[in-house]
Amino acid sequence: MEEQAKKRIYSAIQPSGMLTLGNYLGALRNWVNMQQEFDCVYTVADLHAITVRQQPGDLRRQILQTYALLLAIGLNPEKSLVFIQSHVAAHSQMAWLLSCYAQFGEFSRMTQFKDKSAKHADNINVGLFSYPALMAADILLYQADLVPVGEDQRQHLEITRVIANRFNNLYPNVFTMPSAYIPKTAARVRSLQDPSQKMSKSDPNPNGWVALLDKPEDIMRKFKRAVTDSEASVRCAPDKEGINNLMEIYAAVTGRTMQQIEDEFAGKGYGEFKTAVGEAVVELLRPIQQRYNDYMNNRDYLEQTYRAGAGAAEAIARKTLSRAMKKIGFVW
Ligand code: TRP
């Protein structure tokens, strides 16, 4: 294991041209902040994406868009490793090794596998099943100490630890044991149309979610139409899910506390508040969209950056892979 001054963070996101405000305020913004304190490795998890069917043109575009968006939100490729998973062959190689140290029964119990199999009943491919082995490979290749994960990926991190532990017991000192990292602040952004649900791009109602690349007028419209209750006073209360959600978004964007927001909007109606939230979000996203467009218009820079990222990642990943291969007994 390498000696590191700072703890290493690993995280990854599947390529989608439609990252949401929820992804940003709940996770991605923390990725940016963590760069100050940690040694960070961030990946566009394109290999994971093909566990469900993808159109080649769409996949290609979305990988590039997601990479550009990661730079646009402020991931700094000079400081962190920011690359595309499939560019580093060791991910696939390590996933195979790890799949031989994971049990069929263990993977069968993964709730994401059960959910996705139900949703894509016509394509329950083996990759969907062995998904956690690839995710474990991602994390373990870089000897990550910490993995910021949401609720939905907690089980995958747990199985990663089980695999790492089993492997290390057979062949000592190969992998660092990763832990879940829970950032101090992570907004839980809910659907603007059904606040009992998390904001998601798979929301059947497109007004329920805001994409990071939405146009200002669309963002304003979505906030103006956001579902609230009939009380019409800007105050949080357990049963006012709609207004709570808007207040949480406004707090996350402006850095204000709930109390400050209540004071600011005392005696004012929902209409005024929704406009303020919409405007705050538009201003938050404006520079991100601007930078995103600049990157997308500079393909040479993008390519140079993701190639350099992959090169640097490869050097670390190779070392771990080679160590694991040798320990297992390969002539390597
Ligand atoms: N499976 C994760 C998701 O869908 C993405 C991912 C892939 C990941 N590899 C990872 C997250 C490693 C954390 C660590 O959200």
Side-chain angles (χ1 to χ4, degrees):
M1 270 168 275
E2 286 167 81
E3 269 292 296
Q4 293 160 17
K6 292 181 178 176
K7 292 211 167 186
R8 181 168 287 161
I9 290 261
Y10 185 99
S11 201
I13 187 157
Q14 290 205 31
S16 151
M18 291 295 180
L19 295 178
T20 70
L21 183 66
N23 295 132
Y24 182 65
L25 296 176
L28 294 173
R29 194 164 65 162
N30 282 318
W31 288 23
V32 179
N33 297 333
M34 289 181 303
Q35 295 181 114
Q36 293 169 19
E37 197 182 334
F38 302 108
D39 174 13
C40 300
V41 183
Y42 295 129
T43 312
V44 176
D46 58 345
L47 294 171
H48 280 104
I50 65 162
T51 53
V52 299
R53 237 13 122 228
Q54 303 283 345
Q55 290 299 326
D58 291 346
L59 180 62
R60 198 172 294 120
R61 186 165 29 77
Q62 288 176 6
I63 293 169
L64 211 54
Q65 288 178 339
T66 303
Y67 189 82
L69 209 38
L70 291 182
L71 298 186
I73 63 167
L75 298 190
N76 179 355
E78 306 281 317
K79 203 166 177 185
S80 306
L81 288 179
V82 191
F83 64 98
I84 297 169
Q85 182 190 31
S86 68
H87 292 181
V88 180
H91 289 251
S92 307
Q93 294 169 288
M94 183 62 93
W96 170 254
L97 300 187
L98 297 181
S99 72
C100 299
Y101 297 84
Q103 297 299 307
F104 184 86
E106 291 166 343
F107 278 18
S108 307
R109 288 192 287 275
M110 294 292 112
T111 51
Q112 182 176 297
F113 171 67
K114 290 191 241 172
D115 292 350
K116 287 202 182 172
S117 319
K119 211 165 131 194
H120 304 277
D122 55 340
N123 181 24
I124 306 177
N125 61 76
V126 175
L128 194 63
F129 182 76
S130 61
Y131 186 111
L134 180 58
M135 188 158 153
D138 293 346
I139 296 167
L140 299 177
L141 274 175
Y142 299 90
Q143 310 289 3
D145 301 289
L146 299 168
V147 182
V149 277
E151 212 42 68
D152 61 329
Q153 297 299 317
R154 206 57 69 74
Q155 203 181 23
H156 287 157
L157 180 60
E158 208 35 62
I159 196 82
T160 299
R161 290 166 54 87
V162 169
I163 296 170
N165 191 41
R166 182 173 296 139
F167 200 98
N168 281 345
N169 282 335
L170 290 164
Y171 321 101
N173 295 326
V174 177
F175 299 127
T176 299
M177 188 61 67
S179 305
Y181 178 70
I182 318 285
K184 282 167 227 101
T185 50
R188 295 162 138 271
V189 179
R190 321 205 129 262
S191 164
L192 300 181
Q193 290 297 318
D194 176 5
S196 69
Q197 301 294 315
K198 174 172 149 180
M199 180 179 281
S200 159
K201 61 173 186 272
S202 42
D203 193 326
N205 186 335
N207 286 323
W209 56 282
V210 172
L212 294 186
L213 298 175
D214 270 351
K215 294 195 193 73
E217 59 269 31
D218 293 330
I219 296 173
M220 291 307 295
R221 191 193 66 242
K222 289 178 186 181
F223 278 102
K224 283 182 180 159
R225 288 195 190 163
V227 167
T228 40
D229 54 274
S230 55
E231 193 196 306
S233 70
V234 180
R235 264 187 316 180
C236 40
D239 57 335
K240 294 176 34 162
E241 280 182 315
I243 203 72
N244 289 347
N245 185 37
L246 293 179
M247 288 177 74
E248 172 132 7
I249 293 171
Y250 194 64
V253 174
T254 62
R256 281 170 224 181
T257 63
M258 292 298 179
Q259 186 59 54
Q260 287 169 328
I261 298 170
E262 290 184 0
D263 293 346
E264 182 181 350
F265 291 94
K268 296 179 183 162
Y270 281 167
E272 205 169 325
F273 180 55
K274 289 178 180 178
T275 301
V277 182
E279 283 170 353
V281 170
V282 166
E283 292 316 315
L284 173 79
L285 298 184
R286 192 188 300 283
I288 293 176
Q289 295 184 354
Q290 177 72 53
R291 284 194 295 269
Y292 170 81
N293 289 327
D294 292 346
Y295 287 126
M296 290 305 278
N297 289 327
N298 192 347
R299 297 299 170 98
D300 289 348
Y301 173 80
L302 264 191
E303 179 169 350
Q304 208 182 304
T305 307
Y306 62 66
R307 298 255 177 252
E314 170 96 38
I316 300 172
R318 275 269 126 200
K319 258 195 182 163
T320 309
L321 178 68
S322 150
R323 189 181 180 95
M325 294 286 287
K326 285 181 190 147
K327 291 258 190 175
I328 294 171
F330 287 99
V331 178
W332 180 263

